[in-house]
Amino acid sequence: MKRQFLISVNLAKPWLLFFCLTAILIWQRQDIPLVTEFPQTWTVPLAETLNRIMAVIVENGQWLTRSISAMLGVALSAVQAVLVGTPWFGTLSLFGLIAWQGGGKKLCFVTILALLYILISGYWTPAMNTLSLVVLALPLAVLAGFAIGYLAVRSATFKTFILPMLDLMQTIPAFAYLIPILLLFGFGPVVGLIASVIFSVPPMVRNTILGFQQISPAVMESGAMSGCSKLQRFAWVELPSALPQMLLGVNQTTMAALSMVIIAAIIGGFEDIGWEVLSGMRKAQFGQSLLSGIVIVLLAVLLDRITGAYAKRQLPTASHQGLPMRYFLILLFGILIVSNAVALIHPAFSVWPEALKFFPATAINQATEHFIITYGGAMDSLKNAILYYVLLPTKLGFERAIAPFTWGITFTPVLKTLYWGVIAVGCGVAFCYGKWKTGVAGVVVMGILFFGTTGLPWITVILLVTLIALKSGGKTPALLAIGTMMFLLLNGLWQPAMLSVYLCLVAVFLSILLGGMIGIWAASWDIFSSIIRPLNDVLQTMPQFVLLIPALMLFQVGDFTALLAIIAYSIVPMIRYVEHGLRSVPSSLLDAGLSSGCTRFQLFWQVRLPAALPQILVGINQTILYGLGMLVIAALVGTTGLGQAIYVALGKADAGAGIVAGLGMALIAMTADRILQSVIRGKASRF
């Protein structure tokens, strides 16, 4: 045991040095304020510099951007007039035919059923306005994404430049780059359109690159042997081969464009469905918000299924091919003519009668009020328990969170000494048995809980994150971690960043815990899996704002409300990847475990879980990124941190502050992603 202890100490030298330095810093924090607070005079005026640059760009380029805005506004109005002006009977029939052409009878039936709900609920016109924005944003994003992706395929230098830019575009919160767009293009729905295009370009770029990279060399050689010119080889060989993958990119681009509808409503609503959701939230009308949110979910599901069906049609295994294109187009025009003629004969086929609308918002609001009155006490108890025993310790640490008002006790010096004594003994026992990593992890976790994310010295946090990055992935992730931490420090974003990290840490931990248990249960029970799968689809397709509605109505503003919304959004990838990983364990491994005499419990812990660990780590990675992405939305319900800094900057049209805060959040997300990717690669190499 002594030998094991000495080996553990030798292996854990960097961590032991880190613990010693942290102890010295904490001991001196009262005498040296620099330990806990980075001097304001050391910060750099990056936000002010960006504002000056933005002012020059706006002054000299506004004539061009406003001209583009005017042209896009005309195009948006035209598409909007067509979709809103077409009789509902015709639009419903057209979408039904398009769905049948792509996926057959089942998809056609689902499409008509969903559109009938939208029609009967009274949200037909707002839904068509939303579709007009998506219909115009989609081709712009697809064309831009294809051009950028194809250029990246042809130029390795450009690819090296564009891939990090795609990471930034997908990790910087949309609110951050809305501010310069707002200054350049003016206020209104066109700003939302442009933001939708920017946000939805990366999936198309990535799938275009992947599609062209997957082309078989034999196919390329066949085209060259046939004497094709470069243009012919592109049109007849490369493009058809890459098309199935590119159509998957179109599917993802469509969903990304639709996810921006509520954000577009914030900066310039025009009676679309996003504005209906936002209006209901601002008025605290749960019924109206819920019903309009359901419409967005239905639109997301329909667009996802229809575009996905057309992508699958390009595969050799596709069973449904639909009509030849010319007959399909003839039938589309025929439906348009017939529907307009029928609408002229009877107005009910043009505008759905008010008497036939079903809008139970008032009943839902009354039921919500009754629920709150009846169970308000229990919900407050749950909220306070999570706040006092989970959120505050993570944010402030036990040394500041434990008080007679919160825990009913005083955290005396004796209790503090006992706390660290137990940790030291546990760490020593772990070292004696060669489990030094467990001992180090225990000290780190319990140290964070004692001091809180906002109470740790900034030098300690930098060293901790850098050491984790270095040990998991080497120099590259470590340099990125150092760069991220220094960016936050030098731009005065350290405290907001720590507040964001605290909330994200708790949400991710609970998502991993709950999502892992749900995923294990779903992997073990097919009936439960069939029940949870559509719920996952709803949570993943539902816009982030909609997730705030039930939490906001039941628990009002605050960190607890934000926590629930973040968990609802980030738990889905954990459930999916845990279930997929456990179901994908090779049967040969399971048979080997059973033949070795493993019990069901041993088979899970010693065979299935280790084999599924790489997929589970991917789920953890995605859970962290989803949680960080939801932080900006959570700022709408009173949270503090980088999300609030971005939202405040949007209200002030402060482009510099918004971009800097957005970059800070993006860098945190990219650092977490790179570290976990390194861990995943290390784990995957073992299986």
Side-chain angles (χ1 to χ4, degrees):
M1 186 175 291
K2 182 179 179 181
R3 183 171 177 272
Q4 286 281 12
F5 180 80
L6 293 175
I7 292 173
S8 297
V9 169
N10 186 55
L11 292 173
K13 275 183 181 178
W15 290 102
L16 295 176
L17 290 174
F18 164 73
F19 292 147
C20 291
L21 179 59
T22 298
I24 294 171
L25 290 172
I26 291 173
W27 181 47
Q28 293 292 326
R29 60 180 172 170
Q30 298 294 335
D31 301 324
I32 308 175
L34 174 63
V35 169
T36 54
E37 295 183 10
F38 190 77
Q40 189 69 27
T41 55
W42 292 8
T43 59
V44 295
L46 180 58
E48 290 80 357
T49 303
L50 290 175
N51 279 330
R52 287 195 292 269
I53 295 172
M54 194 67 207
V56 174
I57 294 174
V58 170
E59 183 179 354
N60 293 281
Q62 199 174 58
W63 64 271
L64 177 61
T65 56
R66 292 302 170 94
S67 300
I68 295 173
S69 178
M71 289 188 291
L72 290 175
V74 171
L76 183 61
S77 298
V79 175
Q80 182 184 356
V82 170
L83 286 175
V84 175
T86 302
W88 66 263
F89 180 73
T91 303
L92 193 145
S93 302
L94 286 173
F95 273 95
L97 177 61
I98 292 170
W100 177 86
Q101 178 76 358
K105 294 179 182 178
K106 184 177 179 180
L107 183 58
C108 176
F109 175 75
V110 171
T111 299
I112 292 175
L113 201 64
L115 290 176
L116 279 175
Y117 167 81
I118 296 173
L119 182 68
I120 294 171
S121 66
Y123 286 114
W124 185 260
T125 298
M128 293 303 105
N129 286 333
T130 295
L131 276 179
S132 67
L133 190 145
V134 176
V135 165
L136 189 56
L138 182 60
L140 295 174
V142 168
L143 289 174
F146 171 74
I148 296 171
Y150 188 71
L151 186 58
V153 171
R154 292 300 175 204
S155 171
T157 303
F158 182 73
K159 182 180 177 181
T160 304
F161 166 76
I162 199 63
L163 289 179
M165 295 300 296
L166 294 177
D167 290 338
L168 281 176
M169 290 173 68
Q170 288 188 299
T171 52
I172 290 180
F175 282 118
Y177 58 75
L178 280 179
I179 306 170
I181 295 174
L182 194 66
L183 294 174
L184 287 169
F185 293 93
F187 185 83
V190 173
V191 181
L193 170 66
I194 296 170
S196 297
V197 172
I198 295 173
F199 185 73
S200 52
V201 160
M204 190 64 200
V205 177
R206 294 188 186 278
N207 280 278
T208 299
I209 294 173
L210 184 59
F212 279 92
Q213 286 178 340
Q214 289 177 341
I215 299 175
S216 170
V219 173
M220 298 295 291
E221 291 174 6
S222 176
M225 292 174 61
S226 301
C228 291
S229 64
K230 289 185 177 180
L231 182 60
Q232 290 171 331
R233 186 177 63 183
F234 170 77
W236 298 345
V237 179
E238 295 178 345
L239 190 59
S241 300
L243 190 59
Q245 187 67 42
M246 288 169 56
L247 285 175
L248 290 177
V250 173
N251 170 255
Q252 295 175 23
T253 299
T254 305
M255 300 302 295
L258 184 62
S259 68
M260 291 290 290
V261 295
I262 301 185
I263 294 177
I266 289 178
I267 55 165
F270 64 119
E271 200 195 348
D272 62 341
I273 199 65
W275 178 255
E276 294 292 337
V277 173
L278 191 63
S279 178
M281 285 180 59
R282 287 172 173 171
K283 297 176 182 177
Q285 296 174 329
F286 180 63
Q288 286 82 348
S289 299
L290 179 64
L291 293 175
S292 53
I294 291 173
V295 172
I296 295 181
V297 173
L298 291 176
L299 288 176
V301 170
L302 287 183
L303 290 174
D304 176 53
R305 298 295 187 270
I306 292 173
T307 53
Y310 277 91
K312 291 178 181 177
R313 277 186 58 189
Q314 306 302 315
L315 300 176
T317 56
S319 58
H320 180 78
Q321 293 299 327
L323 295 171
M325 184 55 64
R326 60 176 179 176
Y327 294 122
F328 173 66
L329 293 176
I330 290 172
L331 194 53
L332 280 178
F333 283 113
I335 288 175
L336 275 175
I337 294 170
V338 171
S339 62
N340 279 282
V342 171
L344 290 174
I345 296 172
H346 201 294
F349 287 98
S350 178
V351 179
W352 186 259
E354 287 288 335
L356 298 180
K357 289 182 179 179
F358 178 70
F359 190 69
T362 303
I364 294 174
N365 290 335
Q366 291 174 349
T368 304
E369 291 176 6
H370 176 72
F371 180 86
I372 293 173
I373 293 172
T374 305
Y375 301 101
M379 289 190 296
D380 283 341
S381 298
L382 173 65
K383 175 181 175 180
N384 291 334
I386 299 294
L387 182 64
Y388 294 151
Y389 301 117
V390 179
L391 291 175
L392 284 180
T394 309
K395 180 181 180 180
L396 303 176
F398 287 140
E399 65 172 351
R400 290 183 289 173
I402 297 179
F405 175 73
T406 54
W407 285 50
I409 61 172
T410 300
F411 203 26
T412 62
V414 174
L415 290 177
K416 293 177 183 179
T417 304
L418 181 62
Y419 178 91
W420 285 110
V422 171
I423 294 172
V425 170
C427 183
V429 171
F431 271 53
C432 289
Y433 284 94
K435 303 291 185 180
W436 67 270
K437 291 182 180 179
T438 303
V440 167
V443 174
V444 170
V445 171
M446 300 310 291
I448 291 174
L449 287 176
F450 186 86
F451 297 106
T453 58
T454 59
L456 285 170
W458 56 269
I459 300 175
T460 296
V461 177
I462 292 177
L463 291 175
L464 175 62
V465 177
T466 304
L467 197 53
I468 292 173
L470 185 64
K471 293 297 182 181
S472 61
K475 293 181 181 179
T476 302
L479 290 173
L480 178 60
I482 293 173
T484 298
M485 301 295 107
M486 294 308 299
F487 179 87
L488 296 171
L489 272 174
L490 294 175
N491 285 281
L493 296 174
W494 188 259
Q495 282 302 316
M498 291 302 101
L499 290 172
S500 296
V501 167
Y502 121 79
L503 190 58
C504 192
L505 272 177
V506 176
V508 167
F509 172 76
L510 293 176
S511 295
I512 291 172
L513 182 64
L514 298 175
M517 291 191 295
I518 295 171
I520 292 169
W521 195 7
S524 306
W525 189 15
D526 291 339
I527 296 177
F528 182 70
S529 177
S530 63
I531 294 172
I532 203 66
R533 198 170 299 154
L535 294 177
N536 286 337
D537 290 339
V538 169
L539 288 174
Q540 206 157 34
T541 54
M542 186 177 291
Q544 297 161 315
F545 281 87
V546 180
L547 298 175
L548 291 175
I549 298 170
L552 184 62
M553 298 302 171
L554 296 176
F555 298 102
Q556 291 79 46
V557 298
D559 285 359
F560 182 71
T561 300
L563 176 70
L564 294 180
I566 295 171
I567 291 173
Y569 187 63
S570 60
I571 197 174
V572 175
M574 193 63 199
I575 297 173
R576 289 188 186 278
Y577 280 97
V578 169
E579 180 182 1
H580 175 71
L582 292 174
R583 287 183 178 273
S584 301
V585 175
S587 57
S588 58
L589 284 179
L590 299 176
D591 293 338
L594 290 172
S595 62
S596 301
C598 289
T599 63
R600 187 175 180 182
F601 181 80
Q602 291 172 327
L603 190 67
F604 173 78
W605 284 104
Q606 299 177 15
V607 179
R608 295 182 69 195
L609 190 61
L613 192 57
Q615 288 88 349
I616 294 173
L617 287 173
V618 174
I620 294 173
N621 180 26
Q622 292 298 302
T623 298
I624 293 173
L625 294 179
Y626 274 51
L628 287 169
M630 189 67 182
L631 281 176
V632 180
I633 311 300
L636 294 174
V637 292
T639 62
T640 54
L642 290 175
Q644 186 190 52
I646 295 171
Y647 193 65
V648 169
L650 177 63
K652 296 179 178 179
D654 189 341
I659 293 173
V660 169
L663 278 173
M665 187 167 286
L667 288 171
I668 292 173
M670 291 172 66
T671 301
D673 177 64
R674 296 301 185 271
I675 292 173
L676 277 169
Q677 288 293 344
S678 301
V679 174
I680 291 166
R681 285 193 294 269
K683 293 292 183 181
S685 64
R686 300 180 186 180
F687 298 97

